[in-house]
Amino acid sequence: MNQGSKGIVGALTLGAVVLFLSLSSAAQEPIKVGMIATLTGPAGFIGSQIKDVAVIVEEMINAAGGVNGRPLNLIIEDDGGDPSRTLLSIQKLVKRDNVVAILGPTLTPTALAVIPFVEQESIPLITITGSRRVVLPPKKWVFKVSLADDLAIGAILGHMSKRGIKKVALLSDSGGFGEAGRQVILNMARSFDIAIVADERFSPADREVTAQLTRIRQTDAQALLAYTAGTPAVIIAKNYRQLGLKLPFYQSHATGTKRFIELAGEAAEGVIFPAVKVLVLEKLSRDDPYRQAVARFVEQHEKKLGPVRSQFGLVGWDSMLLLAEAIGKAGTDRLAIRDYIEAKQNFIGVTGVFSYSPDDHDGLKSVSLTMVKIENGAWVPAD
Amino acid sequence: MSPILQYIFSGLTVGAIYGLVAVGFNIMFNSASIMNFAQGQFVVLGGLIMVTLTTKLGIPMIVAFVMTLAAVVLIAAVLERACINPARDGTQVTLIIITIGLAVALEGGATVVWGKEAFTLPPFSGDEPIRLLGATLMPQTLWIMGVTGLMASLLALFLNRTIHGKAVLATAADKAAAELVGIDTRRIVLLTFCISAGLGATAGIVLTPLVLIDSGQGFMFALKGFAAAALGGMGNAPGALAAGFLLGIAEALGAGLLTSAYKDVIALAVLLLSLFIRPAGLLGKTSRG
């Protein structure tokens, strides 16, 4: 072959390769979904777990062929819990990355900060915070796929009421979580025929609460509800044990993490709290409606991230699966995705069953919650 | 069962912690006229380093204790030479700002290394509450009080019976005079900074089994320690110790008998009140030499 022929063959080969590549990549062009999570800062551990689970779902979906043959590409931004950074993140995701929808953010203030933007840009926002405020009143483009704090509290009060408890001592922290919970508890208690006979507070920075517990001991409370999260929950448990209190001991759903048991040790025994059914899969009955969804979650989680240690990541699972379903059925047009979700009925997630409507973008119809007790360092159903 | 006794026991627990931090605060103020707001960070570092050495690396407690002290003292020495010594001729305000800056930097560094979560250590002699006269006390509290007492005594022995200790006292009494008799006051400042860091680290190690430790607590320890030192009379070590206990008990009694929501306010109110009545603090000198 002379030089000229080699050149022509080379050019044709190159052309064929390029054509082949472009054809195959067009068929596999990824669907871009944005996610804003708080990965750093005090709430970083929450956002990190949500992100880890969302990534499992992305991998799971792509391993099964993607959505309509196209892989999902989850683009993740960290807002550090700062609403102004959340705004910057969402602007980047929408303007630069051109995502079809957005998951997150992690914290209520950060979510509230970006709602005007999504309404203006007409892009679906699947929020995953615990507060219902993000969807009250419903906004056209904003949906919520998560547990609500008041439902978790309702589960606690319901359990107490079933056990015949009528007088409860409340110990809550003066930070955001404790204060919000305290308000809900004070409002809801009456409807469960429960009187709050002690309303003790403490600062999240306090190193011990024996004084508050001693005061509670002098009342005629029949149970103790300690509503807080993180280190204070551990300290309360230790002090409770030190004082030798024997009242039924309830804590908030934030206690649903193995770390609590590790740090509190013996003091964790007997603590009762509302947990998502994911934490007690082996104890669920055969005909529990959530069993299938929960089993699938646990299997994937154990494969990719190890044993399930806390319930924070669950919203990542439900929100990703709902969004993937919407894209699969309605395509990548933002309005079509939004319309699909708004009309979705009976989405069985691992946190609950969701059915949406134009008036209801919260969708939570029932919750995958069960009351759980810590026994011998493990979670068992509380009778 | 007497709730008051329980409140007092609770007060002794935190009071011992405040006292130990206050003594560390005190010695810096005494010898170098520096109010070291990074004192709280030494407490935090002591606890966190101990956790890493024992839990992550499996080093036996006593060895880890010595290593932790060495590590914190080393960090303090480096910081003193790098940040405090160069500013030794500056005003008090300058030095205070520098120590605040150090506190912020150390907290940030601790957060980068250990994150924001809390850690604990196994209690030194078990977890069973001690029942005494109708109230309960944790064995770890006795450790905290014992270690605090021991540290305070060792410090007193050092200051009064050793030549270096006396040099520290001399510098505290009159810096210029001390220099005139040949004491290198710059090295004294380094020495006392290291001593106060060691005291802080010790406090962190003994309190972690009881009340857990995380990177963000430094400022709170510094504040309470400062309050105790001021209450006891800045520059008076026994005063600082006593004031620490008093503050802890006042907090516990206030939370128990009055209202738990404003516990911090009670402690600071006690401090303010006592400073109005007796500005030099309970046992303080009325003027600094």
Side-chain angles (χ1 to χ4, degrees), chain A residues 64-310:
Chain A
V67 177
N68 296 337
R70 293 168 64 183
L72 265 186
N73 181 10
L74 190 63
I75 303 177
I76 301 166
E77 294 288 322
D78 174 20
D79 68 359
D82 178 1
S84 51
R85 275 176 67 182
T86 319
L87 205 46
L88 287 173
S89 301
I90 204 170
Q91 282 165 351
K92 173 195 174 271
L93 287 170
V94 173
K95 306 262 178 151
R96 232 181 61 186
D97 296 312
N98 220 358
V99 296
V100 304
I102 298 171
L103 279 175
T106 310
L107 305 171
T108 306
T110 57
L112 292 172
V114 297
I115 288 176
F117 181 81
V118 305
E119 290 291 303
Q120 189 190 310
E121 292 291 321
S122 301
I123 181 165
L125 179 70
I126 318 287
T127 63
I128 50 179
T129 62
S131 163
R132 292 195 203 263
R133 281 166 61 204
V134 292
V135 289
L136 285 173
K139 326 278 186 307
K140 182 171 179 199
W141 293 93
V142 181
F143 295 88
K144 181 173 167 296
V145 185
S146 59
L147 201 56
D149 288 355
D150 52 309
L151 286 171
I153 290 172
I156 298 175
L157 295 173
H159 191 264
M160 288 175 164
S161 177
K162 227 173 50 178
R163 288 174 71 168
I165 294 171
K166 298 233 182 282
K167 300 187 181 181
V168 170
L170 175 63
L171 179 59
S172 60
D173 71 70
S174 54
F177 183 77
E179 178 58 43
R182 175 177 170 268
Q183 289 300 331
V184 172
I185 293 167
L186 292 175
N187 287 335
M188 285 179 86
R190 210 165 308 119
S191 55
F192 287 89
D193 201 19
I194 289 177
I196 305 291
V197 299
D199 180 13
E200 297 292 329
R201 323 281 300 284
F202 65 94
S203 153
D206 282 351
R207 304 283 86 207
E208 58 109 60
V209 293
T210 49
Q212 287 89 332
L213 289 175
T214 307
R215 277 164 70 99
I216 285 174
R217 175 187 244 154
Q218 295 168 62
T219 65
D220 57 348
Q222 298 166 300
L224 168 65
L225 173 52
Y227 199 87
T228 185
T231 309
V234 176
I235 290 182
I236 296 175
K238 289 166 74 115
N239 289 167
Y240 172 95
R241 179 172 176 273
Q242 175 192 332
L243 293 181
L245 286 174
K246 295 280 178 271
L247 298 170
F249 184 13
Y250 290 80
Q251 288 222 17
S252 79
H253 53 291
T255 311
T257 143
K258 287 268 188 235
R259 192 85 183 118
F260 174 79
I261 301 177
E262 280 163 17
L263 289 174
E266 280 271 331
E269 291 295 305
V271 171
I272 304 171
F273 64 95
V276 280
K277 292 188 175 172
V278 162
L279 298 180
V280 287
L281 171 62
E282 328 79 56
K283 313 278 193 325
L284 292 181
S285 70
R286 289 274 139 215
D287 41 62
D288 191 305
Y290 292 98
R291 204 190 156 83
Q292 205 183 8
V294 167
R296 192 169 164 225
F297 171 83
V298 171
E299 183 204 330
Q300 284 294 321
H301 192 284
E302 284 184 355
K303 215 162 67 170
K304 297 280 178 66
L305 298 173
V308 180
R309 289 171 50 93
S310 87

